[in-house]
Each structure stands twice: as structure tokens, then as C-alpha cells.
Amino acid sequence: MFKSNILVFSFAIIVSLSAFANIAITPVHSINEIPHTAPLKGKYRLHLLDVGTGLSILIQGHDWNLLYDAGSADDKSGNQKNGNSHSRVVSYLYKAIGKSGVKSCQPAEDGWSGHTGLTQKTIDYVFLSHPHEDHGVMLDDILECYQANNIYDSGRINNTVFYRRFIERVSEEVGAKYKTAKVPAANKKVKIKGKVIDLGNANWEQFKVLDVVHLDDSAFFTILHANGTSHESDPNSNSIVIRLDLGDVSVLLVGDAESGPRKIPSADLDGLEKELFDNFKDLIDTDILQVGHHGSLTSSRTKFIEAVSPQIALISAGPKKYGSVVLPDEAVVESLEFQGIHILRTDAYDGEICPVKNKVGRDDNRSGGCANFILEW
Ligand SMILES: [Zn+2]
């Protein structure tokens, strides 16, 4: 039935991509299982965080890191001004990258009473794939606690409190480059939900499709979709799509890229998936795919998945309904399975008790924190 295909194991397994590349997959249930040292030179680590209903992926090289989204639709509480942080993503980063920032960044489970404020550690690249809460509601806390060097945002304005808070933080992130798919406003100002925010100090630049950014000697990412216009009805179509080449392994992050309305996987390609298929059929062919829109029937058309032909599919999903459905849609999961793709899902313990104490973030009955995965190669 619904969860029969969930991969539940407590030890690392190895997925072989070729004679040259093996990927070790380790489930992470507790905060204590997160490695706190960077990968060795030439090695890479991808963390799929269990944020409940939403998405957050952290990727690390030896001397750089990249955060793609930090959102949740059902666990939005973040840094407390007079107490500890309740953000699962901050908790995770505290372990994976290190303790950082003002006292309100300190997660409750950190247990270190001497925290009076710390030098900020760096996140080299921070992405908001598109301006929806389930992808970005915790990013203002991340920018409060960590120094972001490069911040990528489609630039499409969503008149919501969370997006305004994010852009306010961007305006205060001294030294960061703020990059949007949209042409920067001439006066360097944006108006969001009634408030004008001055981005004059933000080193605001435009990024474009096929921009390539080098991360180290054997790692780079390529922008495959950059669109900051508001013409489409839904910000999902503004999702920043990137391909990462990390040593011998390639990764495709698509945010909530769609093929149009909910249809069976064998339906025709449309929308952003069609655009990617038509323009970049070779570049979307990757080893690891973040499954679009949480495994919804709006996305993952068979033709698209066949072109990507991943070995591993990452599905970040939780119990909160999108409209009338809880994602992922079973037909999408079955379609991925039919193609022999190894599926990792963050909803494995939703509605159940996490089998360990000290799940990531606060240890209560809210979803999230228990079904994280680390992929290393
Ligand atoms: Zn989403």
C-alpha cells in the first residue's frame, strides 16, 4: 500500500553507477548521525533534509557548500528572539557546517549554555528555487545565522510575509551577491507586501541560463532554468533548475518544475519539463534527480524521467495537503519504480514515532527531522 515502497534501513547501502562511481546512501534519523567534518578533497556529500512538507538540500565539497531551499509548509517556526532556534534546518546546519551566529540560532538540543554569539560560518551558495513557503520559510533564519556569499532567487515577487522577510535579510547580508533571473531594478528597490526594501548594498546581479559556476577543480553547476517573470500563474514555473557535476556524479535539482496540470505520468510533456526536455535533453541526463514538485502528478512525466534516467530519485514530501492531495502521488512513485530507479523519501515516518530519540530539530510529534538521507561519493 502507500508506504510499501519506502526504503527503511539503518545502515549504508551502495549504489553503483559505473566502474568509477559508487554512491553510499546512509539514512539519518538522529542529530548525532550527521557528520561534522567536510568531505575529503575530491569527495562530495549531498544531504536530503527531512523538513516535513517542503524541500531542503545541502551539498558539500571539501571547501564549499550549497543550500538549495529551506522550507516547510507544516513546521515554520524558526529562530526565537529570546530562546533557542526551532528551525530543523538550522539544527541540521549546526551539525553539518558548524555552530554559527547569534544566540537565537542555537538549537535547543545543542545544550551548550555558553553560547553568547559566534562568528558566522559561511554558506557559499544559497538558493530559493521559487518563492513558496515550503521552499523558503526558513531562509531568513539561515541568513541570520550564517554568512551567505551568493544568494540565488528567481526574482519573481510573491507578496507574502515569508518572502518579504527573506528579501529584508538579503538586504542586510553584508558582502553577499544577490542574483536574480530578473533584471535588477534600476533603483535597486523592490516592493513586497506593502513595504519597499532597498537592495542598494546587496551587489545585485542577473544570472542566466547556461551560466556555469565552478565550485572546485572537479565540481561545477550549470543553470538550466532562469525566469523571474510573473506571467505564469504559479511561481512553480519560476523554479531555478540547476545541474551539478560533482566528480563523476551529476545531480539535477528542479524545485517544483511541472508539466502542467495533474495528469498520469504517460501524458504529454508540457510547461517547464517540456522546456528542459526540448532545450537541454543532454544536460538533464543525470545520476541523481530531485523529483519535481514533491512527486506530484503535475510533474515527472515519463518522457522527462526517461531523459533524465537517474539511478536515484529524491522525494521530499510531508503530511500537509497540496490542495486536496498529500504528495507524492502513488502513480508517480510507481512510474519511477517501474523504471528501476532507487527512491529515497523523507515521508517515511510521517504519522509514526521516529524510532530514535534526538531526531533533527525539536523532538515533538510534528512531521520532519527523522527521515533524512546522506549520499556520499
Ligand atoms: Zn513545493
Side-chain angles (χ1 to χ4, degrees):
M1 159 51 252
F2 176 61
K3 288 186 177 175
S4 62
N5 43 35
I6 290 171
L7 196 63
V8 179
F9 51 86
S10 55
F11 48 87
I13 64 159
I14 306 290
V15 173
S16 293
L17 298 184
S18 70
F20 305 104
N22 290 322
I23 298 177
I25 303 171
T26 310
V28 170
H29 304 308
S30 104
I31 191 85
N32 303 321
E33 297 168 71
I34 303 169
H36 56 270
T37 54
L40 297 173
K41 201 162 170 25
K43 300 286 184 186
Y44 302 97
R45 188 180 293 146
L46 182 152
H47 307 255
L48 175 63
L49 279 66
D50 178 4
V51 291
T53 312
L55 180 67
S56 186
I57 289 176
L58 172 68
I59 302 178
Q60 292 176 290
H62 178 62
D63 53 7
W64 57 266
N65 51 47
L66 179 153
L67 183 70
Y68 185 87
D69 285 347
S72 178
D74 46 22
D75 187 11
K76 303 174 190 176
S77 56
N79 295 344
Q80 313 292 305
K81 291 306 144 211
N82 297 307
N84 297 114
S85 173
H86 285 172
S87 163
R88 290 197 195 287
V89 180
V90 170
S91 290
Y92 201 105
L93 297 184
Y94 244 55
K95 279 287 178 179
I97 296 177
K99 301 168 193 276
S100 172
V102 294
K103 188 176 186 313
S104 59
C105 299
Q106 184 185 20
E109 72 272 16
D110 191 51
W112 177 36
S113 58
H115 194 318
T116 55
L118 298 164
T119 306
Q120 288 189 335
K121 294 207 175 341
T122 298
I123 305 177
D124 299 280
Y125 300 90
V126 172
F127 283 80
L128 171 62
S129 67
H130 65 292
H132 274 154
E133 275 196 349
D134 61 325
H135 294 257
V137 76
M138 289 182 254
L139 280 177
D140 62 331
D141 294 332
I142 306 303
L143 296 184
E144 181 180 21
C145 300
Y146 289 85
Q147 170 65 39
N149 286 348
N150 298 278
I151 302 163
Y152 284 76
D153 174 22
S154 70
R156 173 173 177 154
I157 289 170
N158 192 2
N159 280 304
T160 57
V161 171
F162 108 82
Y163 185 68
R164 187 176 70 195
R165 284 199 341 240
F166 167 64
I167 295 300
E168 282 172 338
R169 284 279 182 222
V170 170
S171 74
E172 297 160 1
E173 195 72 358
V174 177
K177 283 187 178 159
Y178 175 53
K179 308 195 184 207
T180 58
K182 200 151 93 176
V183 178
N187 64 1
K188 302 285 168 81
K189 289 179 179 158
V190 288
K191 188 175 180 187
I192 307 169
K193 208 167 166 59
K195 186 172 177 188
V196 175
I197 302 166
D198 188 341
L199 286 157
N201 295 321
N203 300 316
W204 189 357
E205 300 170 354
Q206 189 181 18
F207 68 92
K208 294 192 170 83
V209 163
L210 291 180
D211 281 357
V212 173
V213 175
H214 287 273
L215 301 164
D216 64 38
D217 289 348
S218 52
F220 59 95
F221 69 81
T222 309
I223 302 278
L224 298 187
H225 186 251
N227 180 355
T229 63
S230 303
H231 298 150
E232 295 82 1
S233 58
D234 190 316
N236 286 351
S237 58
N238 295 94
S239 290
I240 301 171
V241 176
I242 61 172
R243 172 197 168 110
L244 296 113
D245 285 89
L246 308 172
D248 295 327
V249 175
S250 51
V251 181
L252 188 64
L253 304 180
V254 300
D256 280 355
E258 295 178 327
S259 250
R262 292 171 58 80
K263 287 184 181 173
I264 55 171
S266 59
D268 285 344
L269 280 176
D270 201 352
L272 181 42
E273 286 192 347
K274 180 171 171 22
E275 201 177 316
L276 292 166
F277 181 90
D278 288 347
N279 296 333
F280 303 120
K281 200 173 172 201
D282 292 339
L283 284 172
I284 60 174
D285 182 357
T286 45
D287 303 310
I288 301 170
L289 169 68
Q290 172 251 315
V291 175
H293 201 196
H294 319 280
S296 166
L297 280 171
T298 58
S299 311
S300 300
R301 297 285 190 264
T302 307
K303 201 170 169 186
F304 180 77
I305 298 297
E306 282 175 355
V308 179
S309 63
Q311 307 274 340
I312 299 169
L314 313 175
I315 300 181
S316 185
K320 190 171 169 64
K321 286 182 175 173
Y322 288 81
S324 61
V325 292
V326 173
L327 300 175
D329 282 302
E330 193 57 20
V332 170
V333 175
E334 284 172 4
S335 166
L336 295 167
E337 282 180 328
F338 184 74
Q339 296 188 50
I341 299 164
H342 196 85
I343 301 171
L344 303 176
R345 295 172 58 159
T346 63
D347 61 346
Y349 294 98
D350 290 350
E352 299 172 24
I353 308 265
C354 187
V356 298
K357 282 198 184 327
N358 303 321
K359 70 178 184 175
V360 180
R362 54 196 174 155
D363 214 355
D364 56 18
N365 59 5
R366 285 171 192 250
S367 64
C370 187
N372 315 272
F373 291 93
I374 293 178
L375 287 66
E376 292 177 285
W377 61 91

